[in-house]
Amino acid sequence: MSPAKSVILVTGGSGLVGKAIQWVVENDSKYGQREGEEWVYLTSKDGNLIDPAATKAIFEKYRPTHVIHLAAKVGGLFGNMAANLDYFRDNLLINDNVLHNAKEFGVKKVVSCLSTCIFPDKTTYPIDETMVHQGPPHDSNYGYSHSKRMVDVMNRAYNQQYGCNFTSVIPTNVFGPHDNFHLVNSHVIPGLIHKCYLAQENGTPFIMAGTGRPLRQFIYSRDLAKLFIWTLREYKEITPLILSVPEEEEVSIKQVGDSIVKAMGYTGDYRFDTSKADGQYKKTASNKKLKKKIRKGLDWKTTLSWLRAPEKENLGYWTHS
Ligand code: NAP
Ligand code: GDP
């Protein structure tokens, strides 16, 4: 990015990932705010991005030079299963409004946020960036997944037709401060922390959904935030970049539950409700491309130290901070 004044607009600035980016910008010596940069963190109170007029008004007000686009209707497996149409429509509209205005207002670079659930359900592993459109996503969250896949299609078309520098990243499951702890619409880590807390408080069993066998890669939100900022500053391609911990650090949902039980000192009854859905069995993503790109920037040693397994340090750190 040039030393001239930059206005970096972060949509979804009040969410799990947005708050982590704000924390890194305000606290990290390497990835923090640089001279000439103004960071703006949007919430839905600044305007509903589903609405074209409200989105245009935001771009008119801030005149961003760069956009990190996070705002989305986000939920875990059970929220998605209950409302595939809402996840599809809301996200399609938000993404269309943001990218259209970014083009109209001459934004120099947009980094949008996809998710590993966009990958094909029936595939080979590990999954890489070239496989996004090679087969239907898992049935449980096809609305959300298809809307996110379309961002990659739009990025390519905006570049082809107008020369826009719009790209995307694909993070694995994220956890950290400011997560969504809703009992139904949350992701597994915050959902289970809330359930474990209630079980502890009420002396009732701690019940996890599904079999506990599915596998996931988890990335700590502030580690992801650094990689996001690196992508904004250094990544040159339009095609997506997976932001993931190594494949070997994939863990089962049972391991996640065990870690939560241990971290919270829960000693009560602990079991699975196998009548509830497991969702996609696994979506093991490769971070080979990320490693290659970062190694080129001589930054890999630092990065390796961020990409730690949740069980080892991050989950403990997070639940106690
Ligand atoms: P989050 O905590 O649910 O936050 C969502 C953000 O989007 C909030 O700032 C929210 O504003 C804003 N937003 C939602 N609808 C909006 C609308 N109609 N108009 C304006 N703003 C709106 O989500 P997150 O977990 O940080 O996710 C950020 C991005 O990462 C998303 O694109 C998501 O798909 C992606 N991602 C998340 C995960 C994960 O595990 N969480 C994994 C992979 C990818 P308010 O706070 O004002 O409502
Ligand atoms: P996904 O990666 O999109 O499937 O996201 P989730 O974080 O919602 O779910 C991951 C896995 O955790 C699935 O296999 C669920 O069956 C399992 N799981 C177990 N208990 C819970 C829970 O309380 N909430 C959620 N969201 N998932 C749970």
Side-chain angles (χ1 to χ4, degrees):
M1 272 158 53
S2 79
K5 187 168 185 290
S6 304
V7 178
I8 303 149
L9 189 70
V10 181
T11 73
S14 49
L16 167 65
V17 182
K19 282 285 184 191
I21 289 179
Q22 184 170 6
W23 188 90
V24 170
V25 166
E26 290 173 0
N27 294 285
D28 191 85
S29 55
K30 183 163 184 189
Y31 292 91
Q33 185 156 8
R34 289 182 179 171
E35 209 182 317
E37 283 181 357
E38 181 190 345
W39 287 76
V40 178
Y41 302 93
L42 294 181
T43 79
S44 59
K45 292 195 186 76
D46 294 294
N48 182 356
L49 296 171
I50 291 173
D51 176 10
T55 312
K56 186 176 177 194
I58 286 171
F59 277 77
E60 255 162 4
K61 181 174 175 186
Y62 294 107
R63 303 262 160 191
T65 55
H66 299 76
V67 175
I68 291 183
H69 174 38
L70 308 172
K73 182 173 173 65
V74 183
L77 173 63
F78 300 101
N80 274 273
M81 282 171 69
N84 266 293
L85 181 65
D86 292 350
Y87 279 84
F88 181 68
R89 289 199 67 222
D90 286 7
N91 289 323
L92 211 58
L93 293 167
I94 290 173
N95 297 336
D96 186 45
N97 287 331
V98 168
L99 293 184
H100 172 68
N101 281 286
K103 177 235 156 199
E104 291 292 295
F105 284 82
V107 170
K108 290 182 194 163
K109 185 165 182 179
V110 179
V111 183
S112 294
C113 194
L114 312 184
S115 160
T116 47
C117 66
I118 69 171
F119 287 123
D121 182 35
K122 293 191 174 44
T123 187
T124 53
Y125 301 101
I127 310 175
D128 69 35
E129 290 85 350
T130 64
M131 296 155 81
V132 171
H133 304 285
Q134 292 177 355
H138 193 264
D139 229 26
S140 55
N141 53 11
Y142 65 91
Y144 175 82
S145 304
H146 277 294
S147 72
K148 291 273 179 186
R149 280 185 182 191
M150 291 308 108
V151 172
D152 178 49
V153 174
M154 284 195 282
N155 285 346
R156 187 174 144 202
Y158 271 111
N159 180 257
Q160 205 174 59
Q161 251 180 279
Y162 299 107
C164 295
N165 187 9
F166 297 170
T167 189
S168 61
V169 293
I170 308 180
T172 55
N173 296 48
V174 189
F175 70 99
H178 306 279
D179 215 333
N180 164 16
F181 289 86
H182 193 276
L183 283 170
V184 181
N185 290 331
S186 57
H187 285 103
V188 61
I189 291 182
L192 289 184
I193 288 174
H194 192 167
K195 284 176 188 165
C196 190
Y197 169 80
L198 291 178
Q200 184 94 285
E201 284 291 293
N202 303 330
T204 48
F206 170 38
I207 300 177
M208 295 170 48
T211 61
R213 281 199 290 267
L215 302 171
R216 297 289 184 269
Q217 288 155 296
F218 292 94
I219 186 163
Y220 180 54
S221 60
R222 289 177 184 170
D223 295 345
L224 174 64
K226 290 175 187 170
L227 294 175
F228 238 111
I229 294 166
W230 178 87
T231 306
L232 181 73
R233 291 182 173 150
E234 309 295 342
Y235 183 62
K236 304 275 186 286
E237 295 174 23
I238 301 301
T239 50
L241 180 65
I242 291 172
L243 302 182
S244 170
V245 296
E247 291 149 49
E248 311 80 65
E249 295 191 1
E250 189 171 55
V251 293
S252 72
I253 298 304
K254 177 167 186 323
Q255 284 172 284
V256 172
D258 290 344
S259 299
I260 289 171
V261 162
K262 194 171 160 209
M264 296 184 72
Y266 176 73
T267 50
D269 185 14
Y270 163 34
R271 53 184 130 106
F272 295 93
D273 177 355
T274 52
S275 70
K276 296 261 167 54
D278 266 346
Q280 195 162 358
Y281 172 59
K282 66 177 188 171
K283 35 194 177 178
T284 321
S286 162
N287 66 1
K288 201 168 156 194
K289 183 175 174 185
L290 172 68
K291 283 202 284 192
K292 206 168 148 202
K293 297 281 167 199
I294 285 183
R295 211 178 272 135
K296 270 193 190 159
L298 298 174
D299 196 32
W300 179 236
K301 234 179 160 182
T302 327
T303 305
L304 262 183
S305 67
W306 305 334
L307 303 181
R308 300 158 306 201
E311 276 178 305
K312 285 186 205 141
E313 277 190 53
N314 292 335
L315 185 59
Y317 165 76
W318 183 77
T319 48
H320 291 108
S321 65

